[in-house]
Structures are given as C-alpha cells and as structure tokens.
Amino acid sequence: ANKDRYPQRKVSRFDSDLEDSVVLSVVIQSHVPNCQAVQMMKYPCSSIEHYEENAIRIVAALQEIGLSYPIQPSDIISSPQTKDMLLLVMFLYMNLPHYVPKTVIVFSTMLGVNMAKNIELTNPSKKAITYNVSLPTGSDFSIKDEVIKIEPKQTVSFPVEFQSRFSRMVESQIVFTSRREGNVHA
C-alpha cells in the first residue's frame, strides 16, 4: 500500500494538511488495499497539477469503492474549507471500517475442478436491504448476480464459484455495498 511510500504525518489542520490528498489516499488504502484509483499518488506535490491529479484520484477512489459523497476535486485543493474536509474525514471514519474483510473463505480443490460456496447474509432489520456485489474482473472467482435484495428478517445464501485454473494460490475479495432505499442506508 501507499503508506510506506510517505513519511508519517501528524494532521492538525483539516485544510492545509489534507490538500495534497496523500493522507486521504493512505486512509482509503488502509481499509481497501485493492483500490486502484489511489495506487500511484503524486508525492511530493510540486505543482498545482499534482494537487489536482491527486484530488481527482480521491474522488475516483470513492466512486470505485461505491461510497457516494458530494465532493469535487476543487473542494480538496482550492483553499479547502476546514468544516467540509472535517465532514469528509468523518464520513470516511464512519464508512471505511465496513470495507475491512469480515472473514476468509477457503476454496480447496484440485486443478481444473470448479467449486461453489455460499455466503450467508441476514437482514435483521424491519426494511429490505439491497446490496450491490462486486468482484474484481479477470478473477478466478465468479458470481451470478451483481445485486441482491434481502427482505426483512430473512436470510439468503449468495453463491460464489471458483474455477481452479492454476496450481498456485489465488485470492480475491468480494464486496457487498448497501444501496440506499429512500432514506435508509444499511
């Protein structure tokens, strides 16, 4: 991840300390290591173009991982407002922990043999929850549906299939991102 590329930094101001977007990128990658948008941030930022490119990458990262937040690159670099940046950091603080993997599912099979396993999802609430499901493309894993809706107080099984094509170990990460239904966000 990017965190080893940059010197440690103490953030004491939510405007100037975040305007190069490097701290934001490290925070995002600490929770979503496979986020492509923030892989190659410009550092140190020696021109306005570097600041702009980094800010564009932060906005793209939020879109890539399915977090909807009303921010534009110019909000980060053009004399950022302290309260706006504080709200962004709070938003990340509240939402990024949901991206840390909850468990590991091991698919142990012979070469050339397909294997399927089910992920059990439960909705304990009184309202239906809809999830967008994402899996990196080009993966040895596959899913049939990219959207799943779980009715109130129900449990569903979500199948994931693995096609063993190589004798080496492969990894992937499946992400379930809740979709807003009215004012409800799971």
Side-chain angles (χ1 to χ4, degrees):
N2 276 333
K3 69 179 181 179
D4 297 327
R5 274 186 63 201
Y6 313 112
Q8 287 188 348
R9 191 185 305 185
K10 181 178 178 182
V11 176
S12 56
R13 297 179 50 119
F14 284 95
D15 49 10
S16 59
D17 289 348
L18 301 178
E19 70 182 346
D20 69 355
S21 303
V22 170
V23 171
L24 297 172
S25 76
V26 172
V27 168
I28 291 169
Q29 274 207 313
S30 71
H31 291 81
V32 191
N34 59 346
C35 181
Q36 296 299 309
V38 290
Q39 289 291 327
M40 297 302 296
M41 301 292 284
K42 297 289 185 189
Y43 183 81
C45 290
S46 55
S47 69
I48 189 67
E49 288 80 20
H50 291 165
Y51 287 92
E52 287 173 354
E53 185 176 331
N54 285 355
I56 289 168
R57 289 178 182 271
I58 294 300
V59 173
L62 294 176
Q63 291 172 345
E64 179 183 330
I65 63 176
L67 284 178
S68 178
Y69 190 79
I71 193 164
Q72 301 296 320
S74 60
D75 298 333
I76 299 172
I77 58 170
S78 300
S79 58
Q81 298 295 311
T82 303
K83 64 178 176 46
D84 294 338
M85 296 305 290
L86 177 60
L87 288 172
L88 172 61
V89 170
M90 297 272 302
F91 175 80
L92 295 174
Y93 176 80
M94 296 299 293
N95 288 281
L96 286 177
H98 299 291
Y99 287 83
V100 175
K102 305 290 188 270
T103 189
V104 173
I105 301 170
V106 177
F107 290 78
S108 183
T109 186
M110 296 188 331
L111 186 61
V113 176
N114 290 359
M115 177 181 236
K117 290 201 175 184
N118 291 308
I119 298 172
E120 193 171 276
L121 302 167
T122 302
N123 177 3
S125 73
K126 295 179 181 179
K127 296 187 185 239
I129 299 175
T130 302
Y131 289 102
N132 290 326
V133 186
S134 62
L135 188 64
T137 55
S139 169
D140 295 315
F141 298 86
S142 62
I143 53 177
K144 288 182 174 46
D145 300 311
E146 293 182 356
V147 175
I148 184 168
K149 185 173 185 175
I150 309 170
E151 295 300 327
K153 309 288 185 191
Q154 298 292 312
T155 298
V156 298
S157 290
F158 188 85
V160 179
E161 190 170 304
F162 172 68
Q163 180 182 5
S164 176
R165 300 181 306 150
F166 303 104
S167 58
R168 63 175 162 71
M169 186 174 86
V170 293
E171 294 180 353
S172 191
Q173 184 174 4
I174 189 168
V175 178
F176 294 86
T177 308
S178 63
R179 186 182 344 169
R180 282 193 186 273
E181 302 283 342
N183 287 334
V184 178
H185 196 69

